[in-house]
């Protein structure tokens, strides 16, 4: 069966510090991978998606970047965090069916 | 106009009753429709998917789709306290994006 791992679960970072969130999927190959952000009481905002290694599409221009160095690994990064980067970050995957499955999420607080 | 719209709620129903959640979408080319359940502080969990007009039942959940009206709904029968959560409607088009509604919060009163 397929599983998705996302870490860390919680993170408190100072403004201006770098960020690296990692997500890996097991039990499948060539998944579509996604990074979403959910602000408190809001819906999910798609940040990045990837259909293959090195292929990244950005949905919203902002202070973040994503990379896919391996088939089942997706990384979300920032060089300098802003207060507005706080939120619940969710990695997800699907096999092309759009039936997306989410990781446990990372709650990021920028202070 | 938002791509996917849901009533934010909260929707409060007594235990054992039917909870009815509604969702409308703006893109007529949408092809796949999903309902996710999200408990407070947790990630969304896929509970239903529907692709063609009509009803689809899975246990106590029934999803209904009407593409002509651009409307999808979720019924929860025999509601239980464990159903208390936020329910997210998601819509997929021909591209790779899933568009999510803001969610409807459901509270089941014991």
């Amino acid at each position: 069966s397929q599983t998705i791992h996302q870490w860390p679960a919680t993170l408190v970072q100072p403004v201006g510090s770098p960020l690296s969130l990692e997500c890996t999927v097991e039990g499948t190959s060539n998944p579509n991978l996604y990074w979403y952000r959910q602000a408190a009481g809001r819906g999910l905002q798609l940040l990045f998606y990837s259909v293959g290694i090195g292929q990244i599409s950005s949905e919203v221009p902002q202070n973040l970047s994503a990379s896919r160095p391996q088939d089942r690994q997706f990384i979300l990064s920032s060089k300098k965090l802003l207060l507005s980067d706080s939120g619940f970050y969710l990695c997800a995957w699907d096999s092309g069916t759009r039936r997306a499955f989410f990781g446990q999420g990372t709650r990021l607080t920028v202070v | 106009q938002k791509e996917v719209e849901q009533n934010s709620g909260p929707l409060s129903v007594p235990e054992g009753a039917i909870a009815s959640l509604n969702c409308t979408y703006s893109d007529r080319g949408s092809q796949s429709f999903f309902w996710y359940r999200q408990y407070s502080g947790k990630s969304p969990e896929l509970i239903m998917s529907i692709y063609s007009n009509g009803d689809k039942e899975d246990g106590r959940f029934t999803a209904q789709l009407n593409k002509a009206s651009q409307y999808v709904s979720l019924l929860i029968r025999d509601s239980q306290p464990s159903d208390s959560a936020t329910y997210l409607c998601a819509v997929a088009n021909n591209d790779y994006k899933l568009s999510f509604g803001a969610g409807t919060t459901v509270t089941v009163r014991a």
Side-chain angles (χ1 to χ4, degrees):
Chain A
S1 64
Q2 300 88 2
T3 56
I4 178 169
H5 302 281
Q6 185 183 342
W7 65 93
T10 59
L11 194 58
V12 180
Q13 291 284 99
V15 169
S17 64
L19 173 73
S20 180
L21 303 180
E22 189 165 341
C23 169
T24 59
V25 180
E26 295 178 356
T28 187
S29 59
N30 198 31
N32 294 328
L33 296 171
Y34 306 85
W35 279 110
Y36 287 88
R37 178 170 62 196
Q38 187 176 35
R42 302 284 187 90
L44 275 69
Q45 177 189 33
L46 179 62
L47 302 176
F48 301 95
Y49 68 90
S50 172
V51 300
I53 296 174
Q55 301 179 61
I56 309 294
S57 296
S58 173
E59 285 297 303
V60 182
Q62 53 199 318
N63 187 39
L64 301 168
S65 62
S67 62
R68 184 171 177 172
Q70 299 181 43
D71 181 43
R72 291 169 290 175
Q73 183 185 28
F74 206 21
I75 298 172
L76 182 70
S77 304
S78 174
K79 292 183 179 178
K80 288 186 177 182
L81 285 169
L82 306 172
L83 286 174
S84 57
D85 291 324
S86 293
F88 192 36
Y89 287 82
L90 292 155
C91 180
W93 75 275
D94 75 57
S95 58
T97 63
R98 310 296 180 266
R99 287 167 51 90
F101 298 92
F102 287 86
Q104 68 172 15
T106 296
R107 192 161 304 280
L108 172 66
T109 304
V110 182
V111 296
Chain B
Q1 182 185 6
K2 293 181 181 178
E3 293 184 39
V4 181
E5 298 209 42
Q6 299 179 249
N7 292 330
S8 62
L11 176 65
S12 181
V13 298
E15 186 174 356
I18 296 175
S20 178
L21 292 77
N22 303 320
C23 172
T24 58
Y25 58 94
S26 60
D27 187 343
R28 283 195 171 275
S30 299
Q31 298 180 340
S32 307
F33 307 86
F34 308 94
W35 284 99
Y36 287 82
R37 177 176 63 199
Q38 187 175 24
Y39 293 115
S40 180
K42 302 296 185 182
S43 62
E45 172 192 12
L46 179 64
I47 56 173
M48 289 290 288
S49 57
I50 187 166
Y51 305 97
S52 55
N53 284 329
D55 295 0
K56 179 181 179 182
E57 186 175 317
D58 184 359
R60 295 185 295 109
F61 297 102
T62 299
Q64 300 173 316
L65 175 62
N66 184 326
K67 290 185 177 180
S69 300
Q70 295 175 243
Y71 174 91
V72 58
S73 66
L74 179 71
L75 300 177
I76 307 174
R77 292 184 303 280
D78 187 23
S79 295
Q80 302 297 309
S82 60
D83 296 325
S84 297
T86 296
Y87 290 81
L88 303 173
C89 173
V91 176
N93 304 318
N94 287 328
D95 58 19
Y96 290 94
K97 291 190 297 183
L98 263 183
S99 296
F100 283 84
T104 298
T105 300
V106 174
T107 300
V108 180
R109 310 187 303 270

